[in-house]
Amino acid sequence: MKADAAAGGAQLALVLLLGWTAVVAAAVCGLRTLGEFLGRGLAAAWRRTGPWQPGLPDWRLAKVGGGEPAHLAYWWRQAWADAGSAASAAPRTVWSTLRDRWLRGAVRNLFHGCRPSGRRPTAPLYRLLLMVFVAPGTAVGAPAGAVLAALLLGVVLALFGGLLAVVWLGWAAAVPVLRALERGWLLLRGVRVRCPHPGCYAPVPLALHRCPNCGENHAALRPGRYGVLWHVCRCGHRLPASRPLGRGRLTALCPRCERFLPRAAGTMRVVHTPLVGGTSSGKTMLMAAMVEGLHSWARQGELRVEYATVDDQRVHTGLHQELNRTGWAHATTGGQPRALMLTVARGRRRRLLYLYDPMGESVSDAGRVRAQGYLAHTDGVILVADALADPRVRGRLGPADTERADRARPSAQGPWETYQRLTGELAALTGRRSRLPVATVVTKRDVLDRLTSLPVPGARIEDWLADVGLGPLVRALGHDFRAARYWAVSAHAATGTGPLESEQRRAAEPVLWLLAASGLRTGPLSGPAGGGRRPGRPRRRPDGANQGHEGHEGRYSPA
């Protein structure tokens, strides 16, 4: 009986001890360690999301590469690096706190009869109470608090990871959406940027953009891994990643040749218009007359015309001064041409006009025509026809008219020969010759109107061309191109000193017709469909001023 009573007493004492241990463990866990472990874990996770003091190094940050001098966007990579650091820092902090502060510190001290801080009580009974009634519960409560804290931290970090994934997916989805919106806007407006510089003429789907702070060139300034709305340059300057945010205000360069592009290049449709003709056919003077004509229409309030760059204004001003000084434009030299760029607007629609003035030798053979890369982008051709250069026309001239024609410096290559050299290569370069319009401009009209051996050019220039022996050219143009229109222009009457504003506007009609084919509402300004306005019978000024222009005695003026 005594043995049974002793065994029962021992069991009761063990149960009481275990119960007390459980109470102490619950108190230690709920009132002390759980909150401590959670606080330390969350604080460690927060600290590991980055150095919070500017200028401190961070090994997790991706270095700025040489290909694109911009920092990767936070949501592209760094957010996951921060999340990974936080997810690893929290459990490590919990474990190190449990091991160092509790198991190796407080629990060990308690089992040695010391207080958790390490101080040893002087009373033996107090030390015994710490060893028997506090140490076991603390040894169980501290790991239990760590386990519960780890579970709660895991739930918090999982929720954080889920929210991060949602934000990242939204960010990632915004990239193709914004790109598609910008691309769709460009397609709807027909904006296809091409480099205007000689030897390049490359398509520019995305230009290089120069940082205004440090001068670095950014090749990927669009929504992407470097940012959705903004990119941060290597120097720390923030750059807009899309045109609505102001990307168009940055300096843009061609990604192939790294020469400057006009700011208007990515905002409006570009109309590429080459002037094709033989040497001394009058291309350069005609282009000067066309530009002056566009400005004349602008002065009347029908158009808004601006030079796309300062260089374009400088080039045209130099040509205008040369015409004022000598009455002639020097022959175009220097290989492939740089486009003269103008922005032309009527109403709410705008176009960026590229006018190419290649040297006449560029159409002297098929190989040289093939080398004119800008022809691959052409939206319409201006065929500059010097009728005085055609052998059939020359054969019909009398001696006096032959002398007048020689003073007009006829081209070495006739318009029919020029067309034959151009047409096959144009079809090969563009693949869409039959969809292009062609504006044929008969130059040196003031000379033609004074020749007695030929009929006077009338309202229908195509009929006049057929009458003088260029009917095959008219038939070929009508067959090979989508649309063909004809004009006769005196560039001398539209340029130089004392230009005729009516002739300037007439010289601009072929360009306005080609612009109308691109969707600009300039059709009413391009003259009647019969080939331009009837110029009227020319007459000589009574004072005989400005003699020698285009090889005849008086300055041209329409009646």
Side-chain angles (χ1 to χ4, degrees), residues 179-335:
R179 286 190 185 184
L181 288 175
E182 187 166 0
R183 180 62 178 166
W185 181 84
L186 294 175
L187 290 175
L188 287 175
R189 297 177 67 91
V191 178
R192 296 186 301 275
V193 182
R194 302 289 189 275
C195 178
H197 295 287
C200 184
Y201 309 122
V204 184
L206 182 64
L208 293 175
H209 291 88
R210 180 162 291 177
C211 175
N213 187 49
C214 66
E216 289 278 3
N217 292 333
H218 294 254
L221 192 57
R222 61 178 179 177
R225 59 178 179 168
Y226 297 101
V228 175
L229 301 178
W230 307 92
H231 289 195
V232 179
C233 181
R234 187 203 308 270
C235 66
H237 190 77
R238 197 168 67 165
L239 305 173
S242 61
R243 186 163 294 278
L245 292 176
R247 188 181 62 192
R249 293 193 294 269
L250 300 177
T251 301
L253 300 92
C254 172
R256 180 178 174 184
C257 66
E258 297 190 5
R259 285 178 281 187
F260 292 101
L261 298 174
R263 286 191 174 182
T267 62
M268 62 188 74
R269 181 172 176 177
V270 182
V271 178
H272 301 263
T273 306
L275 283 76
V276 180
T279 304
S280 190
S281 61
K283 299 187 311 300
T284 303
M285 292 186 64
L286 177 61
M287 186 177 74
M290 288 176 169
V291 174
E292 292 297 330
L294 292 174
H295 284 292
S296 176
W297 283 114
R299 287 191 294 272
Q300 286 195 344
E302 298 288 350
L303 298 173
R304 297 188 305 278
V305 180
E306 295 179 357
Y307 295 99
T309 67
V310 176
D311 288 339
D312 295 302
Q313 184 173 11
R314 177 180 54 79
V315 169
H316 182 71
T317 300
L319 177 59
H320 183 69
Q321 292 174 348
E322 179 185 351
L323 291 172
N324 285 339
R325 185 174 63 255
T326 66
W328 292 95
H330 293 298
T332 305
T333 58

Side-chain angles (χ1 to χ4, degrees), residues 486-503:
Y486 302 83
W487 285 264
V489 172
S490 171
H492 265 300
T495 57
T497 56
L500 300 175
E501 196 163 6
S502 60
E503 193 69 12

